[in-house]
Amino acid sequence: MTAWNALELEAALEEAPTIGARLDIAHAAMAALGLGALIYDYAPVAYTHEGELITPSFFGMREVPDDMVDLWSSSGFYQIDPVQHLALNSPRPFVWSYRRNGQTVLNRALDKRHEPVVTYVHDMAITCGMTVPIHGRSGDCATVTGIRYGAEDDFHREGAELLGDFTLLAHAVHAAVEPLFGEAERRSRAVHLTPRERECLRFSAEGLSAKDISGRLSRSVPTVTMHLNAAARKLGARNRAQMIARAAHYRLL
């Protein structure tokens, strides 16, 4: 991809009115690199306070197997996806291969935990591709992945040559898609608080007592206390300080 084409892609992405339309443009642009499938995911918070991988709040996939979205978003495959673990632990784009003769950073990371994912990608013939991690300043993260269908055995060499162009494309896609996210996409799937619980929590983080909050919201002190206790329970917090710390971790404040 030349610099001129990159500018053309950015202009086309900016003109597209929806997230779906922008992902369609990105998917079409990937064809020049010989990549047939696109996966874009976004998580406002990558890990729980206990260190478990949080399922992204947004998945955008093009030309992947029909059941892949459900497997990764609802059936736990995301948590055992070695590509995602590599992406979340490094800012470096990388080429990957699930093949036994693959010579990529992924091959050195595979173990028994990943067997369901390994079996699936071999069954679906989506064994080779490249991924660009994007880590935001607020702790949010995204990955942009391109998959090569029918890759040759030496894909690791060709992929290394294409990785710079794909990285440019990936950052252009993220820059175009992320501003269109709404509240649902920017809220972590790990913890769900009601609007009133979040409101009381934010006031508590500002140093207000339950009595102070009740005055602000025109609600009784027991009602405010009920909301704060519910928020603490959902966050697994034992006291107010821990509740606020965990709320900050999940970007709820």
Side-chain angles (χ1 to χ4, degrees):
M1 184 180 296
T2 66
W4 183 85
N5 282 331
L7 293 174
E8 186 179 58
L9 172 63
E10 290 176 0
L13 289 169
E14 186 174 347
E15 291 176 3
T18 65
I19 291 175
R22 295 184 179 192
L23 290 176
D24 288 339
I25 290 170
H27 179 237
M30 287 168 44
L33 304 178
L35 300 169
L38 166 68
I39 301 174
Y40 172 89
D41 61 70
Y42 173 83
V45 183
Y47 294 95
T48 69
H49 61 274
E50 297 174 336
E52 297 295 326
L53 203 60
I54 300 173
T55 302
S57 60
F58 178 84
F59 282 100
M61 301 189 183
R62 296 294 184 273
E63 291 300 319
V64 299
D66 292 340
D67 60 347
M68 191 169 182
V69 175
D70 180 66
L71 287 172
W72 261 255
S73 64
S74 304
S75 300
F77 273 47
Y78 180 82
Q79 280 67 28
I80 57 171
D81 183 342
V83 168
Q84 294 297 337
H85 282 277
L86 287 172
L88 292 174
N89 285 284
S90 173
R92 294 183 60 182
F94 57 95
V95 177
W96 49 264
S97 171
Y98 282 92
R99 296 175 179 175
R100 289 187 177 87
N101 62 347
Q103 300 178 41
T104 68
V105 64
L106 179 66
N107 301 97
R108 299 191 294 272
L110 294 175
D111 59 39
K112 289 184 178 181
R113 295 173 300 166
H114 309 129
E115 285 183 1
V117 171
V118 173
T119 299
Y120 179 84
V121 298
H122 278 280
D123 288 346
M124 298 295 108
I126 51 175
T127 56
C128 297
M130 57 189 72
T131 294
V132 178
I134 301 172
H135 298 272
R137 290 178 296 178
S138 64
D140 56 336
C141 55
T143 61
V144 184
T145 293
I147 295 173
R148 168 72 64 85
Y149 283 103
E152 301 293 336
D153 288 340
D154 64 347
F155 176 74
H156 60 280
R157 295 191 183 92
E158 183 185 359
E161 295 176 358
L162 298 174
L163 190 57
D165 288 339
F166 183 68
T167 299
L168 185 64
L169 185 152
H171 280 276
V173 171
H174 176 67
V177 170
E178 190 272 339
L180 298 187
F181 285 151
E183 184 178 352
E185 290 82 14
R186 298 188 187 280
R187 183 184 303 147
S188 173
R189 291 178 59 168
V191 179
H192 175 71
L193 302 183
T194 67
R196 187 64 78 186
E197 289 165 357
R198 294 183 68 185
E199 189 174 33
C200 290
L201 184 59
R202 285 195 293 269
F203 281 130
S204 183
E206 292 174 7
L208 274 66
S209 66
K211 182 177 180 181
D212 295 332
I213 297 170
S214 70
R216 291 282 188 96
L217 300 180
S218 299
R219 296 290 188 273
S220 69
V221 172
T223 296
V224 170
T225 301
M226 177 190 69
H227 290 312
L228 289 173
N229 288 342
R233 183 173 63 254
K234 292 177 181 179
L235 289 163
R238 294 187 297 270
N239 52 51
R240 172 174 165 169
Q242 190 176 52
M243 176 180 69
I244 294 172
R246 291 186 177 179
H249 173 85
Y250 291 112
R251 314 292 188 266
L252 295 173
L253 300 179

